Amino acid sequence: MNSLGPFSIDVLTLMLSATAAWWVARRWRRRQNPEEAKRAARIVVDVIGAGLLAARLGFVVQNWQDYASHPWSIVTLGDGGYSCISGMLVGAL
């Protein structure tokens, strides 16, 4: 797996995409109403956070046998362990 430091390329791509989504939401709404820009940016951040948390938890549940013996490895975010389906489902809600 390709990586940059402790993070896989997939995680870095996700972080860059999240930052771009936040920036676009803020810029797009700023032209119409500055208060709406802040609200739109907060929504993007909340959705991304909830999606990432759900994606990680979904991956841990799917691979519980690997994490059961070392529970602290659940918080090792750089291992590239995310379930895209779980993250997208929660993000869409």
Side-chain angles (χ1 to χ4, degrees), residues 17-90:
S17 299
T19 303
W22 173 83
W23 184 81
V24 167
R26 193 157 167 105
R27 293 278 296 177
W28 178 60
R29 284 304 208 170
R30 186 180 301 167
R31 294 180 188 157
Q32 298 169 358
N33 182 352
E35 241 358 89
E36 285 290 319
K38 291 178 185 176
R39 184 169 176 254
R42 282 194 302 265
I43 290 170
V44 168
V45 170
D46 290 347
V47 167
I48 290 169
L52 284 174
L53 182 62
R56 182 61 180 178
L57 289 176
F59 182 81
V60 169
V61 167
Q62 290 172 353
N63 299 289
W64 180 247
Q65 66 278 5
D66 297 332
Y67 291 102
S69 60
H70 303 292
W72 281 107
S73 64
I74 292 172
V75 296
T76 307
L77 303 178
D79 68 357
Y82 296 93
S83 169
C84 291
I85 300 295
S86 300
M88 287 190 284
L89 285 174
V90 169

